[in-house]
Structure formats: C-alpha cells, structure tokens
Amino acid sequence: MPYEPALTPDQALDLLKEGNRRFLEDTSYEPAMDRMRRLEIAAAQRPFAAYLSCSDSRVPPELLFERGLGELFIIRNAGNTLCATALGSLEFAVAHLQVPLIVVMGHEACGALNAAVSLARGQASFSGNIAKVLQSLLPAVLETDPWADNIVDSAALSNVRRVVHELREEASPALLEPQQSGMLKVVGAFYHLDSGKVDFLEPDK
C-alpha cells in the first residue's frame, strides 16, 4: 500500500498547536465520544499523529491537545524512552496507519529523569526493570551535566532531542523513507505542568 496520509505533516502539527491553544483558554471541551463516533471508528482507526510521551499521570496528550477518540496514536512509558516496544509501535503507526506526524514529548519535573539524576549522582540505586529504564535515560543526564542547576528539566529536554535525532537519523527505513519524501515529520515537544503550554522544538528542522 502506498504511503498516503490524509493530512500533511504541517497540517497535523497545526491541529495539535490549535488544540493546545484551546486548552490554555480553560474553556470546556467535549470531543465526539457518542455512539455514532464509536461506530465510525470501530472498523478502523485513522489517527493523524503518533505520540511518544511520558507515563506521568499529569501529562495526558488527548487532554493537552483537546483531541477525541481515534485521533492520536499514543505510546507512553516512563521518561518517553525509545525502547523496542515504542519504536515498533511508531513504525506500525507510520507503515500501517499512515500517520504524517510523530511527536516526542517530555515535561517539567519528570520523575523518571529525577530518578536518573539521583542514579548518576550516586545518591540512589534501583533494581530490576526500573534500573533498565533509568539506564536508557542516563546519556541525557550525563550530556547535560548531572550537577547543574535545574538538571531534571534540562535532562528531559536533552532526552527529547536525543530520541528525535534517533528517529530522524538512525531509525529503520519504515520511518526514514517517509521523512525523506516529505510525507512524515518527527518533532520534539516539552510540556509545562504549571501553565499547560506545550512548546514544540525545532518543528521545521
């Protein structure tokens, strides 16, 4: 099946930006979730963006962008890391659901990055699968300087940029070829917990 998304990458990004603007206005939002909408998407989904976001309960992408059922294909894990499951899910979204946009979003006061900072400073230790998650975040912490002020937010931004770079430059042909043809865009984003604002990082590069 040829890769033919319903929207261009820029159109999809504009929908997210507009949704976040509405979210900041604190107006009530009621996405279509009635029976007709459920029937409409029951046979197949056609999201307009794939989203790699942190599992933090304060960072729900559907609410931050005022989107409804079937509009966003969301992958969430602690620290929005690019694990095998996340990467495979993004490839599925592009190859089979034909999303034109991938967003990687970090956020303020990320608990996973805070734990990774404590690990890098030798102030805490973690066992089992938690340690595996934190290991994947350590490069972003070390790249930022684990003893710097406001290290958690700086490391979260660094982690977003690292994941975006990997998706843009080092991913499989399933992700690289649509980007090279202009049918897919990968952008980074950062969410501010107190204001509700989402900043998009270098959307045009």
Short mmCIF file of all heavy atoms in Angstrom, two decimals, residues 168-192:
data_model
loop_
_atom_site.label_atom_id
_atom_site.label_comp_id
_atom_site.label_asym_id
_atom_site.label_seq_id
_atom_site.Cartn_x
_atom_site.Cartn_y
_atom_site.Cartn_z
N ARG A 168 14.95 10.59 13.46
CA ARG A 168 15.20 11.29 12.20
C ARG A 168 16.38 10.73 11.43
O ARG A 168 16.40 10.75 10.19
CB ARG A 168 15.47 12.78 12.47
CG ARG A 168 14.27 13.59 12.88
CD ARG A 168 14.71 15.01 13.18
NE ARG A 168 13.59 15.88 13.53
CZ ARG A 168 13.72 17.12 13.98
NH1 ARG A 168 14.93 17.63 14.14
NH2 ARG A 168 12.67 17.85 14.27
N GLU A 169 17.39 10.23 12.15
CA GLU A 169 18.65 9.89 11.50
C GLU A 169 19.01 8.41 11.56
O GLU A 169 19.77 7.93 10.71
CB GLU A 169 19.79 10.70 12.14
CG GLU A 169 19.57 12.20 12.15
CD GLU A 169 19.58 12.82 10.77
OE1 GLU A 169 20.16 12.19 9.85
OE2 GLU A 169 19.04 13.93 10.60
N GLU A 170 18.53 7.68 12.57
CA GLU A 170 19.05 6.34 12.80
C GLU A 170 17.97 5.26 12.84
O GLU A 170 18.25 4.12 13.20
CB GLU A 170 19.83 6.32 14.13
CG GLU A 170 20.97 7.32 14.17
CD GLU A 170 21.58 7.46 15.54
OE1 GLU A 170 21.25 6.66 16.44
OE2 GLU A 170 22.40 8.38 15.74
N ALA A 171 16.77 5.60 12.49
CA ALA A 171 15.67 4.64 12.56
C ALA A 171 15.68 3.73 11.33
O ALA A 171 16.52 3.85 10.44
CB ALA A 171 14.34 5.38 12.67
N SER A 172 14.71 2.85 11.28
CA SER A 172 14.60 1.90 10.17
C SER A 172 14.06 2.61 8.93
O SER A 172 13.51 3.71 9.00
CB SER A 172 13.66 0.77 10.56
OG SER A 172 12.32 1.25 10.61
N PRO A 173 14.18 1.98 7.76
CA PRO A 173 13.62 2.56 6.53
C PRO A 173 12.13 2.87 6.64
O PRO A 173 11.64 3.78 5.97
CB PRO A 173 13.90 1.49 5.47
CG PRO A 173 15.11 0.78 5.98
CD PRO A 173 14.96 0.75 7.47
N ALA A 174 11.41 2.13 7.49
CA ALA A 174 9.97 2.37 7.65
C ALA A 174 9.69 3.79 8.14
O ALA A 174 8.63 4.35 7.87
CB ALA A 174 9.37 1.36 8.62
N LEU A 175 10.66 4.38 8.86
CA LEU A 175 10.50 5.76 9.34
C LEU A 175 11.32 6.74 8.53
O LEU A 175 10.90 7.89 8.35
CB LEU A 175 10.91 5.84 10.82
CG LEU A 175 10.08 5.04 11.80
CD1 LEU A 175 10.61 5.23 13.21
CD2 LEU A 175 8.60 5.42 11.73
N LEU A 176 12.46 6.33 8.04
CA LEU A 176 13.33 7.26 7.32
C LEU A 176 12.82 7.60 5.93
O LEU A 176 12.86 8.77 5.52
CB LEU A 176 14.75 6.68 7.22
CG LEU A 176 15.50 6.52 8.55
CD1 LEU A 176 16.88 5.92 8.28
CD2 LEU A 176 15.62 7.85 9.27
N GLU A 177 12.33 6.63 5.22
CA GLU A 177 11.90 6.89 3.84
C GLU A 177 10.73 7.86 3.75
O GLU A 177 10.75 8.78 2.92
CB GLU A 177 11.58 5.57 3.14
CG GLU A 177 12.82 4.72 2.88
CD GLU A 177 12.50 3.35 2.30
OE1 GLU A 177 11.29 3.06 2.09
OE2 GLU A 177 13.44 2.57 2.07
N PRO A 178 9.67 7.74 4.59
CA PRO A 178 8.60 8.74 4.54
C PRO A 178 9.08 10.14 4.91
O PRO A 178 8.57 11.14 4.39
CB PRO A 178 7.57 8.22 5.55
CG PRO A 178 7.85 6.76 5.66
CD PRO A 178 9.32 6.62 5.49
N GLN A 179 10.07 10.24 5.81
CA GLN A 179 10.62 11.55 6.14
C GLN A 179 11.37 12.14 4.95
O GLN A 179 11.25 13.34 4.65
CB GLN A 179 11.57 11.43 7.34
CG GLN A 179 10.86 11.13 8.65
CD GLN A 179 11.83 11.09 9.83
OE1 GLN A 179 12.27 12.11 10.32
NE2 GLN A 179 12.17 9.87 10.26
N GLN A 180 12.14 11.31 4.29
CA GLN A 180 12.90 11.79 3.13
C GLN A 180 12.01 12.26 2.00
O GLN A 180 12.37 13.17 1.24
CB GLN A 180 13.85 10.68 2.66
CG GLN A 180 14.95 10.37 3.66
CD GLN A 180 15.66 9.05 3.38
OE1 GLN A 180 15.29 8.31 2.46
NE2 GLN A 180 16.67 8.73 4.18
N SER A 181 10.83 11.65 1.89
CA SER A 181 9.89 12.04 0.83
C SER A 181 8.99 13.20 1.25
O SER A 181 8.19 13.67 0.45
CB SER A 181 9.03 10.84 0.43
OG SER A 181 8.17 10.47 1.50
N GLY A 182 9.10 13.64 2.50
CA GLY A 182 8.28 14.76 2.98
C GLY A 182 6.90 14.37 3.46
O GLY A 182 6.08 15.24 3.76
N MET A 183 6.62 13.07 3.54
CA MET A 183 5.30 12.61 3.96
C MET A 183 5.18 12.45 5.48
O MET A 183 4.08 12.29 6.01
CB MET A 183 4.97 11.28 3.29
CG MET A 183 5.06 11.32 1.78
SD MET A 183 3.87 12.45 1.04
CE MET A 183 2.37 11.48 1.19
N LEU A 184 6.31 12.47 6.17
CA LEU A 184 6.34 12.27 7.61
C LEU A 184 7.29 13.27 8.24
O LEU A 184 8.36 13.55 7.70
CB LEU A 184 6.80 10.84 7.94
CG LEU A 184 7.03 10.51 9.43
CD1 LEU A 184 5.72 10.51 10.20
CD2 LEU A 184 7.75 9.18 9.58
N LYS A 185 6.87 13.82 9.39
CA LYS A 185 7.73 14.72 10.15
C LYS A 185 7.82 14.21 11.58
O LYS A 185 6.85 13.70 12.15
CB LYS A 185 7.16 16.14 10.14
CG LYS A 185 7.97 17.16 10.94
CD LYS A 185 7.41 18.56 10.80
CE LYS A 185 7.73 19.16 9.45
NZ LYS A 185 7.37 20.59 9.35
N VAL A 186 9.02 14.34 12.17
CA VAL A 186 9.25 13.99 13.57
C VAL A 186 9.65 15.26 14.30
O VAL A 186 10.61 15.93 13.90
CB VAL A 186 10.35 12.93 13.72
CG1 VAL A 186 10.60 12.63 15.19
CG2 VAL A 186 9.99 11.65 12.97
N VAL A 187 8.92 15.60 15.35
CA VAL A 187 9.22 16.82 16.11
C VAL A 187 9.28 16.50 17.60
O VAL A 187 8.67 15.54 18.08
CB VAL A 187 8.18 17.93 15.86
CG1 VAL A 187 8.13 18.32 14.40
CG2 VAL A 187 6.81 17.51 16.36
N GLY A 188 10.01 17.32 18.33
CA GLY A 188 10.06 17.23 19.78
C GLY A 188 9.15 18.26 20.41
O GLY A 188 8.81 19.28 19.79
N ALA A 189 8.76 18.01 21.66
CA ALA A 189 7.90 18.93 22.38
C ALA A 189 8.21 18.85 23.87
O ALA A 189 8.76 17.86 24.36
CB ALA A 189 6.43 18.61 22.12
N PHE A 190 7.83 19.91 24.59
CA PHE A 190 8.06 19.96 26.03
C PHE A 190 6.86 20.61 26.69
O PHE A 190 6.43 21.70 26.30
CB PHE A 190 9.33 20.76 26.34
CG PHE A 190 9.80 20.63 27.77
CD1 PHE A 190 10.47 19.49 28.18
CD2 PHE A 190 9.56 21.64 28.68
CE1 PHE A 190 10.91 19.37 29.50
CE2 PHE A 190 9.99 21.52 29.99
CZ PHE A 190 10.67 20.39 30.41
N TYR A 191 6.33 19.90 27.70
CA TYR A 191 5.10 20.35 28.36
C TYR A 191 5.42 20.99 29.70
O TYR A 191 6.17 20.44 30.51
CB TYR A 191 4.17 19.16 28.58
CG TYR A 191 2.91 19.48 29.36
CD1 TYR A 191 2.02 20.46 28.92
CD2 TYR A 191 2.61 18.80 30.55
CE1 TYR A 191 0.87 20.75 29.63
CE2 TYR A 191 1.47 19.09 31.26
CZ TYR A 191 0.60 20.07 30.80
OH TYR A 191 -0.53 20.36 31.51
N HIS A 192 4.82 22.17 29.93
CA HIS A 192 4.99 22.90 31.19
C HIS A 192 3.80 22.60 32.10
O HIS A 192 2.66 22.97 31.78
CB HIS A 192 5.11 24.40 30.91
CG HIS A 192 6.27 24.75 30.02
ND1 HIS A 192 7.54 24.98 30.51
CD2 HIS A 192 6.35 24.86 28.67
CE1 HIS A 192 8.35 25.24 29.50
NE2 HIS A 192 7.67 25.17 28.38
#
